[in-house]
PDB file of all heavy atoms in Angstrom:
ATOM      1  N   GLU A  65     105.084  83.231 101.744  1.00  0.00           N
ATOM      2  CA  GLU A  65     104.348  82.025 101.327  1.00  0.00           C
ATOM      3  C   GLU A  65     102.863  82.150 101.686  1.00  0.00           C
ATOM      4  O   GLU A  65     101.989  81.777 100.903  1.00  0.00           O
ATOM      5  CB  GLU A  65     104.952  80.786 101.980  1.00  0.00           C
ATOM      6  CG  GLU A  65     106.314  80.401 101.424  1.00  0.00           C
ATOM      7  CD  GLU A  65     106.285  80.141  99.932  1.00  0.00           C
ATOM      8  OE1 GLU A  65     105.336  79.483  99.443  1.00  0.00           O
ATOM      9  OE2 GLU A  65     107.201  80.629  99.234  1.00  0.00           O
ATOM     10  N   LEU A  66     102.585  82.646 102.878  1.00  0.00           N
ATOM     11  CA  LEU A  66     101.196  82.838 103.295  1.00  0.00           C
ATOM     12  C   LEU A  66     100.489  83.806 102.352  1.00  0.00           C
ATOM     13  O   LEU A  66      99.371  83.546 101.888  1.00  0.00           O
ATOM     14  CB  LEU A  66     101.158  83.370 104.728  1.00  0.00           C
ATOM     15  CG  LEU A  66      99.792  83.855 105.229  1.00  0.00           C
ATOM     16  CD1 LEU A  66      98.758  82.734 105.206  1.00  0.00           C
ATOM     17  CD2 LEU A  66      99.926  84.461 106.627  1.00  0.00           C
ATOM     18  N   LEU A  67     101.130  84.931 102.065  1.00  0.00           N
ATOM     19  CA  LEU A  67     100.507  85.940 101.209  1.00  0.00           C
ATOM     20  C   LEU A  67     100.305  85.420  99.786  1.00  0.00           C
ATOM     21  O   LEU A  67      99.308  85.754  99.132  1.00  0.00           O
ATOM     22  CB  LEU A  67     101.359  87.208 101.197  1.00  0.00           C
ATOM     23  CG  LEU A  67     101.401  87.969 102.526  1.00  0.00           C
ATOM     24  CD1 LEU A  67     102.427  89.090 102.463  1.00  0.00           C
ATOM     25  CD2 LEU A  67     100.029  88.528 102.888  1.00  0.00           C
ATOM     26  N   THR A  68     101.223  84.594  99.313  1.00  0.00           N
ATOM     27  CA  THR A  68     101.058  84.016  97.976  1.00  0.00           C
ATOM     28  C   THR A  68      99.852  83.090  97.943  1.00  0.00           C
ATOM     29  O   THR A  68      99.081  83.077  96.973  1.00  0.00           O
ATOM     30  CB  THR A  68     102.331  83.266  97.562  1.00  0.00           C
ATOM     31  OG1 THR A  68     103.441  84.189  97.530  1.00  0.00           O
ATOM     32  CG2 THR A  68     102.173  82.650  96.173  1.00  0.00           C
ATOM     33  N   SER A  69      99.660  82.321  99.009  1.00  0.00           N
ATOM     34  CA  SER A  69      98.482  81.447  99.062  1.00  0.00           C
ATOM     35  C   SER A  69      97.202  82.276  99.093  1.00  0.00           C
ATOM     36  O   SER A  69      96.177  81.878  98.522  1.00  0.00           O
ATOM     37  CB  SER A  69      98.559  80.524 100.283  1.00  0.00           C
ATOM     38  OG  SER A  69      98.362  81.232 101.492  1.00  0.00           O
ATOM     39  N   ILE A  70      97.261  83.434  99.718  1.00  0.00           N
ATOM     40  CA  ILE A  70      96.101  84.326  99.755  1.00  0.00           C
ATOM     41  C   ILE A  70      95.818  84.898  98.372  1.00  0.00           C
ATOM     42  O   ILE A  70      94.651  85.111  98.005  1.00  0.00           O
ATOM     43  CB  ILE A  70      96.323  85.433 100.797  1.00  0.00           C
ATOM     44  CG1 ILE A  70      96.240  84.838 102.208  1.00  0.00           C
ATOM     45  CG2 ILE A  70      95.311  86.566 100.633  1.00  0.00           C
ATOM     46  CD1 ILE A  70      96.681  85.764 103.311  1.00  0.00           C
ATOM     47  N   GLN A  71      96.869  85.133  97.575  1.00  0.00           N
ATOM     48  CA  GLN A  71      96.640  85.580  96.207  1.00  0.00           C
ATOM     49  C   GLN A  71      95.802  84.563  95.436  1.00  0.00           C
ATOM     50  O   GLN A  71      94.917  84.943  94.644  1.00  0.00           O
ATOM     51  CB  GLN A  71      97.967  85.815  95.491  1.00  0.00           C
ATOM     52  CG  GLN A  71      98.667  87.104  95.882  1.00  0.00           C
ATOM     53  CD  GLN A  71      99.791  87.441  94.917  1.00  0.00           C
ATOM     54  OE1 GLN A  71     100.711  86.643  94.730  1.00  0.00           O
ATOM     55  NE2 GLN A  71      99.720  88.602  94.305  1.00  0.00           N
ATOM     56  N   HIS A  72      96.055  83.292  95.647  1.00  0.00           N
ATOM     57  CA  HIS A  72      95.242  82.258  94.999  1.00  0.00           C
ATOM     58  C   HIS A  72      93.786  82.360  95.478  1.00  0.00           C
ATOM     59  O   HIS A  72      92.852  82.224  94.677  1.00  0.00           O
ATOM     60  CB  HIS A  72      95.809  80.872  95.299  1.00  0.00           C
ATOM     61  CG  HIS A  72      97.092  80.572  94.596  1.00  0.00           C
ATOM     62  ND1 HIS A  72      97.134  80.150  93.280  1.00  0.00           N
ATOM     63  CD2 HIS A  72      98.382  80.643  95.004  1.00  0.00           C
ATOM     64  CE1 HIS A  72      98.386  79.963  92.913  1.00  0.00           C
ATOM     65  NE2 HIS A  72      99.169  80.258  93.947  1.00  0.00           N
ATOM     66  N   ASP A  73      93.598  82.593  96.780  1.00  0.00           N
ATOM     67  CA  ASP A  73      92.252  82.767  97.313  1.00  0.00           C
ATOM     68  C   ASP A  73      91.550  83.952  96.662  1.00  0.00           C
ATOM     69  O   ASP A  73      90.346  83.898  96.384  1.00  0.00           O
ATOM     70  CB  ASP A  73      92.295  82.998  98.828  1.00  0.00           C
ATOM     71  CG  ASP A  73      92.489  81.728  99.634  1.00  0.00           C
ATOM     72  OD1 ASP A  73      92.443  80.629  99.051  1.00  0.00           O
ATOM     73  OD2 ASP A  73      92.691  81.839 100.861  1.00  0.00           O
ATOM     74  N   LEU A  74      92.289  85.037  96.436  1.00  0.00           N
ATOM     75  CA  LEU A  74      91.675  86.221  95.839  1.00  0.00           C
ATOM     76  C   LEU A  74      91.261  85.961  94.393  1.00  0.00           C
ATOM     77  O   LEU A  74      90.261  86.520  93.926  1.00  0.00           O
ATOM     78  CB  LEU A  74      92.624  87.417  95.936  1.00  0.00           C
ATOM     79  CG  LEU A  74      92.771  88.000  97.339  1.00  0.00           C
ATOM     80  CD1 LEU A  74      93.789  89.131  97.353  1.00  0.00           C
ATOM     81  CD2 LEU A  74      91.428  88.495  97.882  1.00  0.00           C
ATOM     82  N   PHE A  75      92.016  85.123  93.682  1.00  0.00           N
ATOM     83  CA  PHE A  75      91.564  84.726  92.352  1.00  0.00           C
ATOM     84  C   PHE A  75      90.295  83.888  92.470  1.00  0.00           C
ATOM     85  O   PHE A  75      89.365  84.027  91.650  1.00  0.00           O
ATOM     86  CB  PHE A  75      92.655  83.962  91.600  1.00  0.00           C
ATOM     87  CG  PHE A  75      93.339  84.789  90.548  1.00  0.00           C
ATOM     88  CD1 PHE A  75      94.502  85.480  90.841  1.00  0.00           C
ATOM     89  CD2 PHE A  75      92.808  84.888  89.272  1.00  0.00           C
ATOM     90  CE1 PHE A  75      95.123  86.265  89.881  1.00  0.00           C
ATOM     91  CE2 PHE A  75      93.424  85.663  88.308  1.00  0.00           C
ATOM     92  CZ  PHE A  75      94.585  86.357  88.610  1.00  0.00           C
ATOM     93  N   ASP A  76      90.230  83.012  93.480  1.00  0.00           N
ATOM     94  CA  ASP A  76      88.998  82.264  93.739  1.00  0.00           C
ATOM     95  C   ASP A  76      87.840  83.228  93.986  1.00  0.00           C
ATOM     96  O   ASP A  76      86.720  83.023  93.496  1.00  0.00           O
ATOM     97  CB  ASP A  76      89.155  81.360  94.963  1.00  0.00           C
ATOM     98  CG  ASP A  76      90.079  80.173  94.742  1.00  0.00           C
ATOM     99  OD1 ASP A  76      90.513  79.953  93.590  1.00  0.00           O
ATOM    100  OD2 ASP A  76      90.366  79.471  95.727  1.00  0.00           O
ATOM    101  N   CYS A  77      88.109  84.274  94.763  1.00  0.00           N
ATOM    102  CA  CYS A  77      87.082  85.245  95.103  1.00  0.00           C
ATOM    103  C   CYS A  77      86.598  85.977  93.856  1.00  0.00           C
ATOM    104  O   CYS A  77      85.387  86.174  93.662  1.00  0.00           O
ATOM    105  CB  CYS A  77      87.626  86.244  96.132  1.00  0.00           C
ATOM    106  SG  CYS A  77      86.398  87.365  96.819  1.00  0.00           S
ATOM    107  N   GLY A  78      87.532  86.366  92.996  1.00  0.00           N
ATOM    108  CA  GLY A  78      87.149  87.021  91.749  1.00  0.00           C
ATOM    109  C   GLY A  78      86.318  86.104  90.869  1.00  0.00           C
ATOM    110  O   GLY A  78      85.328  86.528  90.257  1.00  0.00           O
ATOM    111  N   ALA A  79      86.727  84.826  90.809  1.00  0.00           N
ATOM    112  CA  ALA A  79      85.968  83.852  90.017  1.00  0.00           C
ATOM    113  C   ALA A  79      84.569  83.666  90.594  1.00  0.00           C
ATOM    114  O   ALA A  79      83.588  83.527  89.842  1.00  0.00           O
ATOM    115  CB  ALA A  79      86.705  82.518  89.993  1.00  0.00           C
ATOM    116  N   ASP A  80      84.466  83.672  91.905  1.00  0.00           N
ATOM    117  CA  ASP A  80      83.172  83.576  92.581  1.00  0.00           C
ATOM    118  C   ASP A  80      82.284  84.747  92.177  1.00  0.00           C
ATOM    119  O   ASP A  80      81.134  84.571  91.747  1.00  0.00           O
ATOM    120  CB  ASP A  80      83.421  83.560  94.092  1.00  0.00           C
ATOM    121  CG  ASP A  80      82.169  83.345  94.936  1.00  0.00           C
ATOM    122  OD1 ASP A  80      81.067  83.664  94.460  1.00  0.00           O
ATOM    123  OD2 ASP A  80      82.307  82.870  96.078  1.00  0.00           O
TER     124      ASP A  80
END
Side-chain angles (χ1 to χ4, degrees):
E65 289 302 317
L66 170 60
L67 292 172
T68 299
S69 71
I70 289 170
Q71 283 193 302
H72 288 279
D73 281 352
L74 287 177
F75 256 93
D76 289 353
C77 188
D80 185 335

